[in-house]
């Protein structure tokens, strides 16, 4: 496949990459990828189904978990079309408009997931430090208001991305460096001035860092409150309620931080590692979060086991 590289006319097709050097094994790579997407969709839909249908799960913590599951589904479905086209059919071409639309949804759902993890850390902070007022602070109406407010914030935050990318001209390069479209990847292909994109992209990245800073702060306050508990058994009980959320935070942020470090210090040395970590960022958190919460949440775990036992009988 010849990739156009000309300055005489504007690019009409971008080309995505799979795993460099492994093109001959694309069909085999597609098997675990398809399996991961299937498990992700089934797992998150199961979480949403139980939270919707079981009255015992109609609590703030599970409402926030349903927001996380929706973000995971959106993130997976945003990347699914191009990933499957590359590895199943070796179809790497994508139109600029479709690419820009994809990056909007990927960045939008990524920002939403970061926000939900922040909200969940606040939920754990209230449950640990002010348990007697927990239900009065986080009422159902307030949970809905918080969810809508952060959703609106993230839409407005990411909305400039497609417009700023659309105003750029693409006339020299058209080879992207991932299996899906990202803002920072697309803007590098532009042959016109992209300073606005760079500055605004840094601003969006800073909001994610701010989310992580607030999450860290809430957990420092939680740890301080836990250390003031006299009983060791009670300390462990309180900390156990935070384990699943801490795992979700690590699963989401570790690939992002690793990718940022590689882009900053070794972007030319390890292209395959960079691509693999980028794929992990989109594939693993939505896949693992349902397992983490099923294992660490007795209510959800018992409901899943109960349904499985009913089917067997």
């Amino acid at each position: 496949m010849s990739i156009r590289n000309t300055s005489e006319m504007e690019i009409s097709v971008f080309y995505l990459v799979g795993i460099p050097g492994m093109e001959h094994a694309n069909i085999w790579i597609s098997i675990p990828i398809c399996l991961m997407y299937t498990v992700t969709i089934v797992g998150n839909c199961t979480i949403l189904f139980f939270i919707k249908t079981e009255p015992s799960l109609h609590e703030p913590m599970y409402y926030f978990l349903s927001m996380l599951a929706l973000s995971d589904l959106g993130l997976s479905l945003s990347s699914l079309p191009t990933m499957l086209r590359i590895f199943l059919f070796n179809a790497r071409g994508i139109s600029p408009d479709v690419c820009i639309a994809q990056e909007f949804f990927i960045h939008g759902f990524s920002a939403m997931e970061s926000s939900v993890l922040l909200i969940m850390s606040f939920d754990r902070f209230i449950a640990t430090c002010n348990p007697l007022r927990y239900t009065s602070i986080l009422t159902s109406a307030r949970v809905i208001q918080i969810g809508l407010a952060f959703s609106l914030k993230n839409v407005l935050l990411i909305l400039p991305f497609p417009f700023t990318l659309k105003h750029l001209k693409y006339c020299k390069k058209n080879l992207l460096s991932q299996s899906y479209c990202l803002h920072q990847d697309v803007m590098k292909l532009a042959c016109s001035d992209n300073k606005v994109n760079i500055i605004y992209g840094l601003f969006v990245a800073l909001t994610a860092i701010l989310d992580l800073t607030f999450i860290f702060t809430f957990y420092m306050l939680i740890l301080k409150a836990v250390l003031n508990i006299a009983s060791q058994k009670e300390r462990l009980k309180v900390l156990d309620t935070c384990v699943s959320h801490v795992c979700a935070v690590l699963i989401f942020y570790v690939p992002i931080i690793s990718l940022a470090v590689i882009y900053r210090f070794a972007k030319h040395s390890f292209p395959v590692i960079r691509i693999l970590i980028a794929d992990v960022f989109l594939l693993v958190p939505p896949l693992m979060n349902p397992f983490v919460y099923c294992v660490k949440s007795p209510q959800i775990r018992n409901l899943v086991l109960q349904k499985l036992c009913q089917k067997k009988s």
Side-chain angles (χ1 to χ4, degrees):
M1 181 184 298
S2 61
I3 296 175
R4 255 187 311 183
N5 188 11
T6 175
S7 59
E8 296 179 357
M9 59 186 299
E10 193 167 347
I11 297 297
S12 60
V13 179
F14 293 153
Y15 289 95
L16 300 160
V17 299
I19 301 177
M22 297 289 290
E23 290 82 2
H24 62 282
N26 274 355
I27 192 65
W28 296 106
I29 297 172
S30 70
I31 295 173
I33 290 177
C34 289
L35 183 61
M36 290 173 76
Y37 275 119
T38 302
V39 173
T40 295
I41 293 169
V42 171
N44 284 287
C45 286
T46 301
I47 294 285
L48 290 171
F49 172 78
F50 282 131
I51 292 174
K52 179 177 173 58
T53 58
E54 294 295 329
S56 62
L57 300 182
H58 292 175
E59 298 176 6
M61 180 178 72
Y62 296 107
Y63 291 145
F64 294 137
L65 177 56
S66 67
M67 295 180 197
L68 184 66
L70 284 171
S71 301
D72 284 336
L73 279 174
L75 198 57
S76 293
L77 294 175
S78 298
S79 63
L80 184 144
T82 54
M83 293 280 280
L84 293 188
R85 285 179 72 242
I86 290 170
F87 292 105
L88 276 176
F89 308 108
N90 197 30
R92 299 192 296 133
I94 184 171
S95 72
D97 288 341
V98 173
C99 188
I100 290 171
Q102 185 186 49
E103 66 84 26
F104 169 75
F105 286 110
I106 288 176
H107 285 290
F109 284 113
S110 296
M112 190 61 206
E113 181 136 355
S114 179
S115 294
V116 173
L117 291 173
L118 170 59
I119 297 168
M120 293 175 82
S121 67
F122 175 70
D123 169 79
R124 292 299 85 205
F125 167 71
I126 297 296
T128 304
C129 300
N130 207 345
L132 297 179
R133 295 188 59 202
Y134 177 76
T135 54
S136 62
I137 293 173
L138 291 175
T139 61
S140 297
R142 196 161 290 165
V143 167
I144 293 172
Q145 291 170 358
I146 291 171
L148 290 175
F150 274 92
S151 297
L152 181 61
K153 185 268 287 185
N154 289 312
V155 169
L156 294 176
L157 180 68
I158 304 301
L159 193 58
F161 274 176
F163 292 102
T164 55
L165 288 174
K166 188 69 177 173
H167 279 84
L168 296 176
K169 290 185 178 180
Y170 307 94
C171 52
K172 292 182 180 179
K173 298 178 289 183
N174 60 356
L175 181 62
L176 296 164
S177 59
Q178 309 294 345
S179 304
Y180 47 86
C181 298
L182 294 177
H183 174 262
Q184 61 268 31
D185 210 11
V186 176
M187 72 177 184
K188 289 178 183 178
L189 301 183
C191 52
S192 56
D193 187 11
N194 62 1
K195 287 181 181 177
V196 172
N197 300 74
I198 294 172
I199 293 170
Y200 192 73
L202 287 173
F203 171 74
V204 173
L206 286 174
T207 62
I209 294 173
L210 194 62
D211 286 348
L212 186 58
T213 303
F214 277 119
I215 291 171
F216 180 77
T217 302
F218 281 131
Y219 270 101
M220 288 298 99
L221 295 172
I222 289 170
L223 188 60
K224 181 180 177 182
V226 168
L227 292 176
N228 290 330
I229 299 173
S231 169
Q232 185 178 359
K233 184 178 179 180
E234 286 299 314
R235 287 183 192 175
L236 294 174
K237 184 178 178 181
V238 172
L239 288 174
D240 188 58
T241 63
C242 301
V243 169
S244 53
H245 179 254
V246 171
C247 290
V249 170
L250 292 174
I251 290 169
F252 181 74
Y253 278 104
V254 167
I256 293 178
I257 294 171
S258 302
L259 197 59
V261 170
I262 289 177
Y263 263 108
R264 177 65 181 86
F265 298 106
K267 59 182 178 181
H268 299 300
S269 302
F270 306 103
V272 174
I273 294 177
R274 185 190 67 235
I275 290 169
L276 289 175
I277 293 177
D279 290 343
V280 165
F281 158 64
L282 280 192
L283 292 171
V284 173
L287 173 72
M288 292 303 299
N289 285 337
F291 288 104
V292 168
Y293 278 94
C294 282
V295 169
K296 293 304 299 178
S297 172
Q299 294 92 328
I300 295 178
R301 184 175 66 246
N302 292 337
L303 285 169
V304 171
L305 292 174
Q306 183 181 343
K307 292 292 183 182
L308 291 174
C309 291
Q310 286 178 357
K311 286 184 179 181
K312 287 182 179 179
S313 61

